[in-house]
Amino acid sequence: MLTHIVCWKYKPETEETKREDHRSRLRALKGLIPDVISLDAGADMLNLDRSFDTGLVATFADKDALERYTVHANHQTVVGFGREIAERVVSVDFVTE
């Protein structure tokens, strides 16, 4: 199994409605892309100096499934929106047993 984690730090001028729209679009990917085993996304609740604004955790059967997700048209649409409103994005992918 492969775990995929992504965090977004939005531009300061990004309104809360766009932030929520982005989170909703991320969560909707679970129903749109067959390779997703699990996926959840939400807003940071601690608001620490080190915090990012939104986090996503998804699981996939293997690297091939993650790669199919990555290039899927629905995912690419959400990626484009995220790039417009975020000043920074970080990710990590690791194998879980």
Side-chain angles (χ1 to χ4, degrees), residues 62-74:
D62 52 30
K63 187 177 176 187
D64 290 338
L66 174 61
E67 288 174 358
R68 287 189 298 274
Y69 165 85
T70 299
V71 299
H72 194 282
N74 289 316

Side-chain angles (χ1 to χ4, degrees), residues 1-9 22 26 36 38-42 52-60 66 69-70 75 88-96:
M1 194 110 108
L2 193 137
T3 299
H4 173 64
I5 301 172
V6 185
C7 298
W8 291 263
K9 182 71 166 178
H22 184 232
L26 291 168
V36 176
S38 68
L39 185 150
D40 204 0
F52 278 63
D53 299 306
T54 293
L56 173 140
V57 178
T59 58
F60 300 88
L66 174 61
Y69 165 85
T70 299
H75 176 256
R88 186 158 182 229
V89 181
V90 295
S91 67
V92 63
D93 301 281
F94 56 91
V95 175
T96 55

Side-chain angles (χ1 to χ4, degrees), residues 8 10 15-29 39-44 47 52-56 78 81 85:
W8 291 263
Y10 297 122
E15 306 90 21
E16 187 58 34
T17 54
K18 284 190 176 183
R19 294 167 186 237
E20 277 303 318
D21 184 27
H22 184 232
R23 294 175 191 123
S24 293
R25 291 180 190 205
L26 291 168
R27 287 189 291 268
L29 292 173
L39 185 150
D40 204 0
D44 174 64
N47 298 312
F52 278 63
D53 299 306
T54 293
L56 173 140
V78 178
F81 182 62
I85 63 173

